[in-house]
Amino acid sequence: MSQLQRIAIAPSQFQQGQILLTKEQQHYLGRVLRLREGDRFIAMDGKGKWWLAQLAGEQAQVLEALLVETELPVSITLMVALPKGNGFDEVVRCCTELGVTCIAPVLSDRTLLHPSLQKLERWRRIAAEAAEQSERSFVPTILEPVTFNTGLSFANSQQYICVARGEFPHLKDCLQHKGQRTNDIGQERIVIATGPEGGWTTQEIENAIAFGFQPVSLGRRILRAVTAPVVALSLITAACEV
Amino acid sequence: MSQLQRIAIAPSQFQQGQILLTKEQQHYLGRVLRLREGDRFIAMDGKGKWWLAQLAGEQAQVLEALLVETELPVSITLMVALPKGNGFDEVVRCCTELGVTCIAPVLSDRTLLHPSLQKLERWRRIAAEAAEQSERSFVPTILEPVTFNTGLSFANSQQYICVARGEFPHLKDCLQHKGQRTNDIGQERIVIATGPEGGWTTQEIENAIAFGFQPVSLGRRILRAVTAPVVALSLITAACEV
């Protein structure tokens, strides 16, 4: 059971045993995932091919090809406002089962909880257990909690923010259209953000839109902060399953 | 309007423009919600009717009928093998939020739990609370637990049984094809069955198929008995949302 970080690459980035990293990928590996020169990670081409790679400057050396059958061909990051109580345990457990790649807990304007380091260790343990139980090949990464605005800056590629009230398109329709238009849903990194109890503030939604997030609906009923991530992941993983 | 407090009432409590409040409702409105004489709230009869009402002693004066749009245009019955422990509470809560119409707990070959009548009352209370919180107009029905084979005989119309292992088509593809072919996904009753820890037995799957159930997959990862119903409901409600 590997605990290595994963990134999605385009098939064209793989050349002669090397992966040529984009500026965004270099930033993500170095600043967000905190990998250093020589650290290993997994590169996925979105077509079902996975490689074990080693960071080497602006590129990565491919060490070996990996065979996986229970993982999705896409990288899914869940940005989730920390709910109150122990609700986050269940979010980590369910979203790991569903196939999430990375969970980024964020502190929003309406977040009350500022978790301890023990909590983070606990979530990582839950993710490892859930990955094993669900027969996944990889354990999702649980990032240290950051502020919502810091979290926004991690994102690129397909980015959605779930908003409970308002006339936004349904997430499933956005995923479908994306797939139909470009036929390359699997080649991208998907980032999905779900809010705290009481929802995101107007300011947070505006900031997210400014960062390129598309506001989406999960339906007409109001979901709890702990239910919304599971519903969002259900729709995304179903859309990406090959 | 959306900020008014809501309570669920029985249709029989609505009589000649008045709502006759039970002792529990009077306590809830007065002590818990701190409403006073003349304050307004929303009463939902669980059958799709909502009223704006005004507290007047042991009753409430109905001021006007309200139009609600948070219910799905389709009836969804979840047949779910009872999981161990208190896991079923969360299934009832999440699936109610998502929009389920009816939950039929079934006793399968691998079900250990034989629930008491208190449990059934507890689940019905959870469903009523969750319906209120998610701003639904209907409180889902929770049936008394029956054996799996009895449960199978309730079904008609579109029937799916989720099977964890095996090469079955993904639920989302079945829903899509159905929608495309007949363009009437919203007009039918959908029955979805999810299994216990350890999955359905081969005999149970065969019985279900004999009763016209289509075996479907929820993806390549193994979901817990408490996660599978939420994932299945997420996909169905998204497919049926208008």
Side-chain angles (χ1 to χ4, degrees):
Chain A
M1 178 70 56
S2 172
Q3 306 234 4
L4 291 176
Q5 313 277 7
R6 267 158 298 164
I7 65 161
I9 63 164
S12 62
Q13 289 181 262
F14 177 66
Q15 286 178 14
Q16 298 166 328
Q18 302 276 337
I19 294 162
L20 310 176
L21 299 168
T22 65
K23 282 230 153 49
E24 289 76 16
Q25 288 165 342
Q26 290 170 37
H27 173 83
Y28 183 70
L29 288 167
R31 296 300 183 86
V32 182
L33 301 182
R34 312 235 169 195
L35 297 196
R36 296 185 198 165
E37 197 72 6
D39 278 352
R40 299 191 304 169
F41 64 94
I42 290 160
M44 312 177 296
D45 76 348
K47 300 282 183 194
K49 291 207 181 116
W50 293 48
W51 294 285
L52 180 64
Q54 188 168 38
L55 194 59
E58 295 180 359
Q59 356 189 350
Q61 184 71 38
V62 170
L63 302 178
E64 61 176 296
L66 303 172
L67 181 71
V68 288
E69 287 174 338
T70 52
E71 293 292 327
L72 293 162
V74 56
S75 162
I76 304 167
T77 295
L78 171 69
M79 266 180 64
V80 52
L82 280 168
K84 63 190 174 193
N86 282 327
F88 200 63
D89 289 6
E90 204 53 21
V91 171
V92 171
R93 196 172 282 120
C94 291
C95 292
T96 299
E97 283 175 65
L98 275 161
V100 76
T101 311
C102 174
I103 298 178
V106 294
L107 305 170
S108 68
D109 289 348
R110 293 193 179 127
T111 301
L112 298 173
L113 188 70
H114 287 250
S116 62
L117 208 59
Q118 283 75 20
K119 280 276 186 193
L120 188 60
E121 284 164 15
R122 178 182 165 77
W123 297 330
R124 287 177 174 160
R125 209 163 50 237
I126 290 172
E129 285 164 8
E132 200 170 319
Q133 205 174 20
S134 57
E135 304 186 3
R136 292 189 58 181
S137 318
F138 297 95
V139 177
T141 305
I142 317 285
L143 299 179
E144 285 182 36
V146 293
T147 63
F148 181 64
N149 282 333
T150 308
L152 289 180
S153 67
F154 294 170
N156 59 39
S157 199
Q158 286 190 62
Q159 309 162 184
Y160 305 102
I161 183 166
C162 300
V163 180
R165 292 168 204 280
E167 292 294 316
F168 298 111
H170 199 292
L171 172 61
K172 61 138 191 208
D173 294 324
C174 299
L175 293 167
Q176 229 169 45
H177 293 154
K178 190 81 185 174
Q180 278 166 3
R181 200 168 58 235
T182 65
N183 197 28
D184 66 355
I185 198 171
Q187 290 174 34
E188 294 183 64
R189 189 158 85 90
I190 297 175
V191 179
I192 182 100
T194 64
E197 282 93 357
W200 302 110
T201 61
T202 308
Q203 186 61 55
E204 285 171 334
I205 297 167
E206 284 172 6
N207 286 355
I209 292 169
F211 271 93
F213 278 73
Q214 177 174 348
V216 292
S217 160
L218 293 178
R220 290 164 182 250
R221 290 150 302 285
I222 305 300
L223 302 175
R224 283 176 307 150
V226 293
T227 309
V230 183
V231 175
L233 260 288
S234 298
L235 299 178
I236 294 173
T237 57
C240 298
E241 193 89 65
V242 284
Chain B
M1 182 63 61
S2 61
Q3 308 225 351
L4 288 176
Q5 309 281 3
R6 284 176 304 258
I7 65 161
I9 63 164
S12 61
Q13 291 182 259
F14 177 67
Q15 287 177 13
Q16 299 168 327
Q18 303 276 334
I19 295 163
L20 310 176
L21 297 168
T22 65
K23 283 232 152 47
E24 289 75 17
Q25 288 165 343
Q26 290 170 38
H27 173 83
Y28 181 71
L29 289 167
R31 297 300 181 88
V32 183
L33 301 182
R34 312 245 165 187
L35 297 195
R36 297 186 195 165
E37 198 71 7
D39 279 352
R40 301 191 303 169
F41 64 93
I42 292 165
M44 310 180 296
D45 77 347
K47 302 280 182 199
K49 292 210 180 113
W50 291 42
W51 293 285
L52 179 64
Q54 188 169 35
L55 194 58
E58 296 179 0
Q59 1 191 343
Q61 184 70 40
V62 170
L63 303 178
E64 60 178 296
L66 302 174
L67 182 71
V68 289
E69 291 174 333
T70 53
E71 293 294 327
L72 292 162
V74 56
S75 161
I76 305 167
T77 295
L78 172 68
M79 265 179 65
V80 53
L82 280 167
K84 62 189 175 195
N86 281 326
F88 200 64
D89 289 6
E90 204 53 21
V91 171
V92 171
R93 196 173 281 121
C94 291
C95 293
T96 299
E97 283 174 64
L98 274 160
V100 76
T101 311
C102 174
I103 298 179
V106 295
L107 305 170
S108 69
D109 289 346
R110 295 191 179 129
T111 301
L112 299 172
L113 188 72
H114 286 250
S116 62
L117 207 62
Q118 283 75 19
K119 280 277 185 191
L120 186 62
E121 283 165 14
R122 177 181 166 78
W123 298 329
R124 287 178 173 160
R125 210 165 49 238
I126 288 172
E129 285 166 7
E132 201 171 317
Q133 204 173 20
S134 57
E135 303 186 4
R136 291 189 57 182
S137 324
F138 290 87
V139 177
T141 305
I142 318 285
L143 300 180
E144 284 182 39
V146 292
T147 63
F148 182 64
N149 283 332
T150 307
L152 289 179
S153 66
F154 294 168
N156 59 40
S157 200
Q158 287 189 62
Q159 308 164 183
Y160 305 102
I161 183 166
C162 300
V163 179
R165 294 168 204 278
E167 292 294 317
F168 298 112
H170 198 291
L171 172 60
K172 64 141 188 210
D173 295 324
C174 299
L175 294 167
Q176 231 169 45
H177 293 154
K178 190 81 185 173
Q180 279 165 5
R181 199 167 57 234
T182 65
N183 198 28
D184 65 354
I185 197 171
Q187 292 172 30
E188 296 184 62
R189 189 159 85 91
I190 297 175
V191 179
I192 181 103
T194 65
E197 283 92 356
W200 303 109
T201 61
T202 308
Q203 187 59 56
E204 285 170 335
I205 297 169
E206 283 171 6
N207 286 356
I209 292 170
F211 271 94
F213 278 74
Q214 177 174 352
V216 291
S217 161
L218 293 177
R220 291 166 180 248
R221 291 149 303 285
I222 305 300
L223 302 175
R224 283 177 305 150
V226 292
T227 308
V230 183
V231 175
L233 260 288
S234 298
L235 298 178
I236 295 172
T237 55
C240 299
E241 192 88 65
V242 283

